């Protein structure tokens, strides 16, 4: 396994996500790859596993692929094509399965490599970019920005979270404001502090404007 495989994975995700405006675009994957690499350096994690899992983490997402499990889909096909060992394919596919936020059914990864990828994916959902992605997702799914009559729903399990339709402002309370405390690594916790502060300031300003205070 080498630079060719990584470069090829970058090319492959560029093709997969071409034209996606729902928050799963190519640049999201690239940011997760770069952030996961940075965290892995701090944690002494296996870089190849982290980088391949980061690059492939969204290619089998149910919203863009008919396969619901990474081990049956595009990620494993890509790795087999590059003669990655079955043991490493399993490790990478397990990381991809663990990465997503699923309400109260969310799992903490078993490996340090999984923790790096999950933290990097979550960091991209918060802060300035996280705010932009949330409203882009809301727009592309026809969601209302905010409705004072509709409050957030807390403590949803995986199925409830998946089927839940709400406003984009509620998404901050239902997911984004929980992510800082769910970070696995010290480096990610540090970065999350600033991003969460920024996001909370944004929502506070938003609600003040809505209420006519500003
Ligand atoms: P990922 O695992 O890559 O974070 P998700 O599908 O959970 O993928 O989310 C993709 C992006 O869309 C994230 O930035 C997330 O916060 C945003 N998003 C997901 N669900 C909603 C929602 N119901 N309302 C607003 N934004 C959402
Ligand atoms: Ni992602």
């Amino acid at each position: 396994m080498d630079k060719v495989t990584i470069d090829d994975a970058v090319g492959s995700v560029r093709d997969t996500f071409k034209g996606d405006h729902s928050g799963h675009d190519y640049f999201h994957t690239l940011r997760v790859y770069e952030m996961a690499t940075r965290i892995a350096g701090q944690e002494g994690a296996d870089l190849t596993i982290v980088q391949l899992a980061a690059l492939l983490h969204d290619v089998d997402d149910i919203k863009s692929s008919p396969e619901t499990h990474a081990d049956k889909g595009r990620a494993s096909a890509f790795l087999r094509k590059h003669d990655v060992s079955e043991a490493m394919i399993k490790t990478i596919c397990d990381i991809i399965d663990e990465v997503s936020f699923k309400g109260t059914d969310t799992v903490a990864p078993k490996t340090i490599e999984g923790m790096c990828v999950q933290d990097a994916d979550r960091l991209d959902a918060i802060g300035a970019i996280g705010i932009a992605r949330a409203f882009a997702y809301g727009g592309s799914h026809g969601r209302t920005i905010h409705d004072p009559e509709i409050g957030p729903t807390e403590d949803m399990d995986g199925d409830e979270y998946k089927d839940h339709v709400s406003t984009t402002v509620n998404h901050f309370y239902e997911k984004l404001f929980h992510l800082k405390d769910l970070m696995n690594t010290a480096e990610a916790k540090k970065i999350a502090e600033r991003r969460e502060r920024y996001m909370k300031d944004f929502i506070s300003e938003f609600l003040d404007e809505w209420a006519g205070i500003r």
Side-chain angles (χ1 to χ4, degrees), residues 60 67-77 92-94 96-97:
D60 288 297
E67 302 288 354
T68 50
H69 288 289
D71 59 350
K72 293 199 210 109
R74 297 173 183 162
S76 57
I92 292 170
C93 288
D94 282 351
I96 295 172
D97 277 342

Side-chain angles (χ1 to χ4, degrees), residues 39-47 112-113:
I39 299 171
Q42 296 288 323
E43 296 290 330
D46 183 303
L47 259 194
I112 185 65
E113 287 76 23

Side-chain angles (χ1 to χ4, degrees), residues 132-203:
R133 290 180 74 213
F135 287 100
Y137 178 102
S140 86
H141 288 76
R143 303 276 169 90
T144 305
I145 293 173
H146 176 53
D147 182 340
E149 303 278 306
I150 305 172
T153 309
E154 299 280 356
D155 299 325
M156 290 179 276
D157 68 21
D159 284 337
E160 287 163 341
Y161 178 76
K162 185 164 63 59
D163 296 334
H164 184 65
V165 175
S166 189
T167 67
T168 301
V169 165
N170 281 342
H171 183 64
F172 286 78
Y173 295 93
E174 289 164 352
K175 172 181 172 184
L176 306 182
F177 290 156
H178 296 292
L179 294 181
K180 176 176 71 69
D181 292 335
L182 290 170
M183 295 296 166
N184 304 290
T185 64
E187 180 77 353
K189 284 188 184 132
K190 203 173 69 195
I191 299 166
E193 296 276 343
R194 178 191 168 95
R195 293 191 183 190
E196 176 169 280
R197 238 185 347 261
Y198 185 81
M199 210 166 46
K200 288 214 154 143
D201 281 352
F202 169 81
I203 288 293

Side-chain angles (χ1 to χ4, degrees), residues 23-24 28-29 32 57-58 99 121 133:
H24 279 112
H28 162 64
T29 293
V32 172
H57 86 275
D58 269 342
V99 86
D121 192 36
R133 290 180 74 213

Side-chain angles (χ1 to χ4, degrees), residues 94-115:
D94 282 351
I95 292 175
I96 295 172
D97 277 342
E98 290 162 346
V99 86
S100 282
F101 181 83
K102 304 181 189 86
T104 54
D105 290 336
T106 301
V107 294
K110 293 185 290 294
T111 59
I112 185 65
E113 287 76 23
M115 292 178 188

